[in-house]
């Protein structure tokens, strides 16, 4: 498939701290890839470089063939970024937030676009209420909806369910699946193993600035032998794979 995101030997340091130490990654167009890693693994740094918010020290990175270092305006026109906290205006209604984004993108008929997006994310009933009255899950869904106005080809979701309760997380998962169903490429960073299992076509494990493994859930599970309990074969979980790959001892956690 066509590569939407291409990264080769990407490096970034802050003084003596090496955050990215030669990252290689290719993401196919229209897929969901989960970038899995502990705090400090370099996930947010990689997303910031890919979204042109931070320069890399060396290496190469491109979005649909556009170099993120030299074609910043063109890259930004094709992507959208949703951070760890919902960037919505709580004084405005949900619909007003969407209309504002459509106007900032100089799109025709912002009201119609807002109504279509509200319906697409099952937020029509709440659309006329101030966002300050919405639940956390609804705000995150609105945040993702706002990032899709203008039909970006690639969307970065940087730990989108941080701090949400289980029900709100499920609501966000449904929103991400809706995004991907229309062919948008999604790079999702997360610390939650079940989130990667639920959403991703492929999973890349980033540890200490390097991608250690990259594959489907089944391919990652095949890295470990299945456990046997009374002649019943059990597939290793993604958690088993993650801890084995990064070399963490469960008992020392």
């Amino acid at each position: 498939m066509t590569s939407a995101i291409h990264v080769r030997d990407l490096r970034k340091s802050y003084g003596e701290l090496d955050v990215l130490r030669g990252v290689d990654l290719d993401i196919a167009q229209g897929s969901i890839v989960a970038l899995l890693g502990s705090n400090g693994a370099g996930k947010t740094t990689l997303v910031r470089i890919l979204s042109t918010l931070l320069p890399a020290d060396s290496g190469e990175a491109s979005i649909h063939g556009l170099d993120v270092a030299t074609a910043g305006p063109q890259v930004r026109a094709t992507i959208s970024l949703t951070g760890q906290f919902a960037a919505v205006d709580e004084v405005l209604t949900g619909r007003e937030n969407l209309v504002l984004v459509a106007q900032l993108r100089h799109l025709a008929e912002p009201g119609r676009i807002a109504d279509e997006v509200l319906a697409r994310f099952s937020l029509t009933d709440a659309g006329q209420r101030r966002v300050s009255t919405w639940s956390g899950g609804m705000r995150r869904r609105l945040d993702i909806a706002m990032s899709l106005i203008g039909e970006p080809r690639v969307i970065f979701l940087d730990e989108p369910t941080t701090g949400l309760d289980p029900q709100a997380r499920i609501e966000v998962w449904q929103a991400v699946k809706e995004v991907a169903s229309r062919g948008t490429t999604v790079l999702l960073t997360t610390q939650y193993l079940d989130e990667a299992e639920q959403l991703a076509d492929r999973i890349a494990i980033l540890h200490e600035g390097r991608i250690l493994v990259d594959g489907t859930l089944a391919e990652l599970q095949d890295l470990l032998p299945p456990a046997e309990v009374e002649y019943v074969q059990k597939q290793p979980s993604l958690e088993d794979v993650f801890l084995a790959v990064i070399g963490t001892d469960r008992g020392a956690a």
Side-chain angles (χ1 to χ4, degrees):
M1 295 180 66
T2 303
S3 179
I5 300 174
H6 172 77
V7 177
R8 281 293 174 274
D9 196 28
L10 204 64
R11 297 175 183 270
K12 181 65 181 180
S13 299
Y14 296 99
E16 297 183 356
L17 177 62
D18 295 326
V19 179
L20 299 180
R21 300 189 295 163
V23 171
D24 294 325
L25 184 65
D26 278 289
I27 298 179
Q29 181 178 330
S31 63
I32 302 178
V33 171
L35 187 63
L36 193 63
S38 307
N39 279 332
K43 303 186 303 298
T44 297
T45 297
L46 177 58
V47 167
R48 293 185 67 195
I49 291 173
L50 291 175
S51 56
T52 76
L53 298 177
L54 183 70
D57 294 337
S58 62
E60 60 183 62
S62 60
I63 307 293
H64 284 286
L66 299 169
D67 190 296
V68 300
T70 60
Q74 295 95 321
V75 170
R76 288 189 289 274
T78 67
I79 67 170
S80 193
L81 169 65
T82 296
Q84 296 180 18
F85 303 99
V88 297
D89 190 326
E90 297 186 358
V91 175
L92 301 179
T93 67
R95 187 178 188 275
E96 288 170 340
N97 270 278
L98 293 166
V99 167
L100 177 61
V101 172
Q103 290 173 333
L104 290 173
R105 289 185 177 270
H106 305 289
L107 300 178
E109 300 183 81
R112 177 187 58 78
I113 292 172
D115 291 336
E116 289 177 352
V117 173
L118 286 171
R120 177 175 166 186
F121 285 86
S122 303
L123 293 170
T124 300
D125 291 344
Q128 300 298 336
R129 289 177 14 220
R130 286 191 177 186
V131 175
S132 59
T133 68
W134 289 24
S135 68
M138 292 172 65
R139 293 182 197 187
R140 291 303 279 164
R141 281 158 57 197
L142 177 63
D143 196 22
I144 294 172
M146 289 166 59
S147 70
L148 289 175
I149 289 179
E151 302 295 333
R153 300 176 70 185
V154 174
I155 181 170
F156 300 106
L157 300 177
D158 189 14
E159 302 194 22
T161 62
T162 297
L164 297 183
D165 60 49
Q167 179 58 41
R169 290 181 69 207
I170 291 173
E171 291 178 5
V172 173
W173 291 353
Q174 292 170 341
V176 174
K177 290 176 181 177
E178 159 63 20
V179 169
S181 71
R182 298 186 176 229
T184 302
T185 304
V186 178
L187 176 59
L188 166 79
T189 74
T190 183
Q191 301 178 59
Y192 301 128
L193 306 182
D194 59 336
E195 190 158 275
E197 288 182 315
Q198 286 286 332
L199 295 175
D201 301 311
R202 298 184 67 84
I203 299 164
I205 296 180
L206 181 66
H207 182 62
E208 295 183 349
R210 290 193 178 96
I211 295 208
L212 302 185
V213 294
D214 174 14
T216 66
L217 177 59
E219 290 169 345
L220 267 57
Q221 288 173 329
D222 285 343
L223 295 175
L224 299 183
E228 292 187 9
V229 180
E230 295 182 355
Y231 306 105
V232 176
Q233 192 177 67
K234 175 181 176 293
Q235 281 290 90
S237 68
L238 180 58
E239 181 179 5
D240 294 327
V241 175
F242 178 77
L243 294 175
V245 167
I246 68 173
T248 298
D249 183 354
R250 285 176 182 267

